[in-house]
Amino acid sequence: MASELSRPLLLPQNRKLRHLQGIYLRNLTLSRPRGKTIDDAALNKTPQKLEALREPQLHHAQSSGDLRPPKLRRRSTNWSGASPDLRQKKLEDVIDSRTADSFFTLHAKGQGDPIYISEVVERAMNPTFRFFDLSGFGPATTRLDTFTIRLWVKRQDFVPLIEEEVSLQSLQFVGTLENHPFPPNCILFHLIDGIYTIDLASKPPKPKHAPSLPTSSYSALMRLSNLDESIQDALATREELAAQINEILLSNPVDESPQAEEEVALASRYVVSERKLLKNSIRRRAELKTSISSRTEAIKTGKELQLKYLEDINNAQDKLSNCKTLLQTTTSEIHGQRRRICEELLAIYPIEATTHTLLFTICGLPLPNSIFEDADEDIVSAALGYVARLVDMLQYYLSVPLPYPITSYGSRSIIQDSISILQDNQRIFPLYMKGTVRFRFDYGVFLLNKNIERLAESQGLKVMDIRQTLPNLKYVLYVCSAGSSELPARKAGGIRGLITGREVEIGSRRGSADSGIVGAQSEAVRKALENGSAEAKGVKLDVGKGNREFNMASLPFRDTHVQSLRTSGLRENIKR
């Protein structure tokens, strides 16, 4: 296999310019090599001449002058004593003298412009140019076996260094670039079967050992000769028939009417198709106009709605600021009223400490902290009744629903558990000790303490021990009534608030005469409301000692904008 790879596949007479794929240059030398004449390119480099040059030649005897010892070889260590700058400069000079920018051009005979110009390889002593493909040129170029190559190098400007007329038939096969010493400015040609050169004489290829094949017989050669004559006669006959047909065509005029009719029919079809396209375009244009008009109307309507919404938003922003201010004011007022109510509750149900630790009294009645072993049953029941009443009112004033509803009946108050899982169907537990089962009473007190814990959690308080009933309740009231501002005035409630229609500060308790007058007024108003005929006219009411003119149309509750805050639960019971 190695021997076959080292042999060319193309015969010398079959090498054409289309087989050339690449060109290499090895050992670039910018000066003319010594020992070589200027006309060395004109030497006869045929295979016979090169073979004759390889034969052994006679050598003349050396003279006494030639027997002198050779000069010592110059060594690079002579630079050892030089300065680094000098050594660097000498090395750069050596590199500049051996390297240069280069490219090549290929020229064919009879053509002024080059058929191929390679790329420029910069600063190289052995430039390897890119492969190329010349098969795209015409056969007049690709079938040539002789061309001219020019190698251009750049010193100050690009100048031609080598110009060789190359005959592909006289190239010498090299095979590969390995293990070959190349002379200066050696040009290598890469064909489809290997690498060739014009400067190296390769050894003749060894004959290929193959079995001998039988040759053709005389009769076979005669048959081939007769067949060739028949083919030549057929070709001559074809040429003669073609000439006769051309004469007939030239003598007879060409009838162009069928072609014209065909062109007219084709043009008619084109006109019909264009009319269809025009009709579709007109319909599409009408649809687009309708769509654009509808979209324009929609955009106009949208802009109007947008302006309206923007105006509404601006108005809503003003209302929002007013509502926020009103909300803050109302929240502040609610907080103040809650403070006032808690203060009043503390005054109504005073919770005071005793000499004992964590033992408090409510309305002067002591209440132990969930331990009722030695306590008086009546006092404990009454105290729990006060606590139940106070907790029940706080859930409405603080807007905190209790998980365990309380029914306040004084010393017979009860509490209900509707959410726990119990085995007993009876879910109402007493808050009094007399006549009840002890564990049901204890569970009722526990539920009451859980309600107090719920009130404390609503105010952000944490109960440490829920068994301390009165301390926890006093803690809640103390926190709810705390504040730096003054307490607001109490608003009028009941029928007096409806009659006056204004806020009235409630001071000390009225006298009996005023109470009688107010009661008489209330009774008169109630009767007037029951009598529908007296709604639209003035009614004479006999109140106390004198008669007073009372106009029902002037009652403040007929004005829907009048608002009053009733402190329900302080003076009357609430039926649930």
Side-chain angles (χ1 to χ4, degrees):
M1 182 64 69
S3 62
E4 293 183 1
L5 291 176
S6 62
R7 295 171 57 87
L9 300 179
L10 295 174
L11 296 176
Q13 60 271 19
N14 292 337
R15 299 172 191 160
K16 304 298 180 182
L17 189 59
R18 64 176 177 272
H19 299 143
L20 183 61
Q21 295 180 345
I23 291 178
Y24 312 102
L25 180 64
R26 292 296 179 263
N27 297 333
L28 176 63
T29 303
L30 301 179
S31 60
R32 183 173 59 85
R34 298 179 180 178
K36 186 174 183 180
T37 59
I38 195 64
D39 57 349
D40 285 343
L43 293 177
N44 187 3
K45 297 182 179 180
T46 59
Q48 294 79 8
K49 182 64 176 178
L50 294 175
E51 186 66 25
L53 292 175
R54 283 197 297 269
E55 294 179 357
Q57 300 178 0
L58 296 176
H59 297 280
H60 297 281
Q62 295 182 352
S63 62
S64 60
D66 296 332
L67 297 177
R68 289 178 298 179
K71 294 182 180 180
L72 295 178
R73 182 181 178 183
R74 187 176 65 178
R75 301 175 62 184
S76 60
T77 55
N78 295 335
W79 295 359
S80 59
S83 63
D85 295 339
L86 181 60
R87 294 171 62 185
Q88 179 70 20
K89 186 176 183 307
K90 288 185 178 182
L91 290 175
E92 291 178 356
D93 293 341
V94 171
I95 293 174
D96 292 339
S97 63
R98 299 299 300 274
T99 60
D101 300 345
S102 60
F103 73 95
F104 70 89
T105 57
L106 299 181
H107 303 264
K109 187 176 181 180
Q111 297 185 17
D113 297 332
I115 61 175
Y116 179 76
I117 300 175
S118 71
E119 76 283 1
V120 177
V121 179
E122 298 179 352
R123 296 184 61 83
M125 189 172 63
N126 298 314
T128 299
F129 301 97
R130 282 200 300 261
F131 280 20
F132 50 85
D133 185 13
L134 301 178
S135 60
F137 294 93
T141 302
T142 58
R143 293 179 182 178
L144 295 176
D145 58 356
T146 303
F147 63 92
T148 301
I149 180 172
R150 292 178 183 175
L151 182 65
W152 303 75
V153 295
K154 181 179 181 182
R155 300 302 292 170
Q156 300 297 329
D157 196 1
F158 281 102
V159 295
L161 178 65
I162 299 175
E163 183 175 356
E164 290 281 350
E165 184 176 357
V166 181
S167 176
L168 296 176
Q169 296 183 4
S170 62
L171 294 179
Q172 302 299 318
F173 183 75
V174 176
T176 60
L177 297 175
E178 298 177 357
N179 301 325
H180 288 285
F182 299 108
N185 296 333
C186 180
I187 302 176
L188 302 174
F189 302 90
H190 191 112
L191 275 65
I192 60 174
D193 59 341
I195 299 175
Y196 294 80
T197 182
I198 58 177
D199 292 334
L200 291 180
S202 62
K203 297 181 180 180
K206 297 180 180 180
K208 185 176 180 180
H209 299 285
S212 58
L213 298 177
T215 185
S216 299
S217 61
Y218 176 76
S219 58
L221 293 176
M222 290 302 296
R223 286 196 299 273
L224 286 175
S225 177
N226 294 333
L227 182 60
D228 182 60
E229 291 179 357
S230 300
I231 291 172
Q232 296 298 329
D233 293 340
L235 291 175
T237 304
R238 187 189 67 178
E239 295 293 337
E240 184 178 356
L241 291 175
Q244 293 177 1
I245 291 171
N246 291 331
E247 291 179 0
I248 293 173
L249 292 176
L250 292 175
S251 61
N252 295 330
V254 180
D255 188 7
E256 296 181 355
S257 58
Q259 183 177 0
E261 292 177 357
E262 184 178 357
E263 291 178 355
V264 169
L266 181 60
S268 301
R269 289 196 296 270
Y270 282 157
V271 170
V272 172
S273 62
E274 290 297 328
R275 286 179 179 175
K276 289 182 179 180
L277 291 176
L278 179 60
K279 185 177 180 180
N280 294 333
S281 300
I282 293 173
R283 185 175 67 254
R284 178 60 178 168
R285 185 185 64 180
E287 293 176 355
L288 290 176
K289 284 185 177 180
T290 305
S291 177
I292 290 172
S293 61
S294 61
R295 291 182 181 182
T296 304
E297 293 294 332
I299 291 172
K300 183 178 179 181
T301 306
K303 287 184 177 180
E304 294 177 356
L305 292 176
Q306 185 179 7
L307 294 176
K308 181 180 178 181
Y309 291 152
L310 288 175
E311 184 178 359
D312 294 342
I313 289 173
N314 294 330
N315 297 332
Q317 290 289 343
D318 299 336
K319 293 181 180 179
L320 178 61
S321 61
N322 297 332
C323 291
K324 285 183 178 180
T325 305
L326 180 60
L327 177 62
Q328 293 177 358
T329 305
T330 306
T331 304
S332 177
E333 291 179 356
I334 290 174
H335 181 67
Q337 293 296 333
R338 283 179 177 174
R339 286 180 55 207
R340 181 189 59 77
I341 291 170
C342 291
E343 286 284 351
E344 292 182 356
L345 289 178
L346 276 175
I348 296 171
Y349 300 96
I351 301 174
E352 304 294 340
T354 62
T355 56
H356 299 281
T357 305
L358 295 179
L359 180 60
F360 288 77
T361 62
I362 181 169
C363 296
L365 300 178
L367 179 62
N369 294 324
S370 301
I371 300 175
F372 310 100
E373 297 298 336
D374 299 332
D376 188 358
E377 294 181 356
D378 295 334
I379 295 176
V380 170
S381 300
L384 289 176
Y386 287 136
V387 173
R389 182 60 177 168
L390 182 56
V391 172
D392 186 42
M393 287 188 294
L394 282 176
Q395 73 169 333
Y396 302 109
Y397 295 141
L398 300 180
S399 300
V400 179
L402 297 178
Y404 308 105
I406 299 174
T407 305
S408 179
Y409 293 141
S411 61
R412 289 297 181 266
S413 300
I414 58 176
I415 190 169
Q416 185 178 357
D417 183 7
S418 302
I419 59 177
S420 301
I421 300 176
L422 302 175
Q423 296 180 357
D424 193 359
N425 294 329
Q426 185 66 24
R427 293 183 173 271
I428 298 176
F429 300 90
L431 294 176
Y432 53 91
M433 298 176 63
K434 185 177 291 187
T436 60
V437 183
R438 182 58 183 270
F439 80 88
R440 296 181 61 82
F441 168 73
D442 293 338
Y443 190 71
V445 175
F446 169 74
L447 296 179
L448 180 62
N449 291 331
K450 292 296 290 184
N451 284 339
I452 297 174
E453 183 185 16
R454 177 69 185 92
L455 293 175
E457 290 177 352
S458 68
Q459 303 303 316
L461 306 178
K462 184 176 182 182
V463 177
M464 303 302 296
D465 188 359
I466 65 172
R467 295 177 299 176
Q468 300 175 4
T469 306
L470 288 180
N472 293 336
L473 185 57
K474 185 175 178 61
Y475 187 30
V476 172
L477 290 172
Y478 178 76
V479 172
C480 292
S481 61
S484 60
S485 61
E486 296 182 359
L487 291 175
R490 181 177 179 180
K491 294 185 178 181
I495 193 62
R496 288 188 303 171
L498 295 175
I499 292 175
T500 58
R502 64 181 183 274
E503 296 182 358
V504 179
E505 291 191 6
I506 306 298
S508 62
R509 182 173 176 82
R510 292 175 179 268
S512 60
D514 294 338
S515 299
I517 293 174
V518 173
Q521 290 178 353
S522 301
E523 184 66 20
V525 170
R526 184 183 63 79
K527 290 181 180 181
L529 291 175
E530 291 177 356
N531 189 5
S533 62
E535 183 176 2
K537 61 183 180 178
V539 179
K540 287 284 186 175
L541 297 177
D542 188 6
V543 180
K545 297 179 180 180
N547 295 332
R548 294 183 180 180
E549 185 75 12
F550 194 80
N551 190 359
M552 291 299 298
S554 63
L555 290 177
F557 52 74
R558 297 189 59 83
D559 189 2
T560 57
H561 297 286
V562 177
Q563 299 179 358
S564 64
L565 179 62
R566 295 189 59 189
T567 57
S568 60
L570 287 179
R571 293 174 294 171
E572 59 268 7
N573 294 330
I574 299 175
K575 294 183 180 180
R576 286 173 290 273

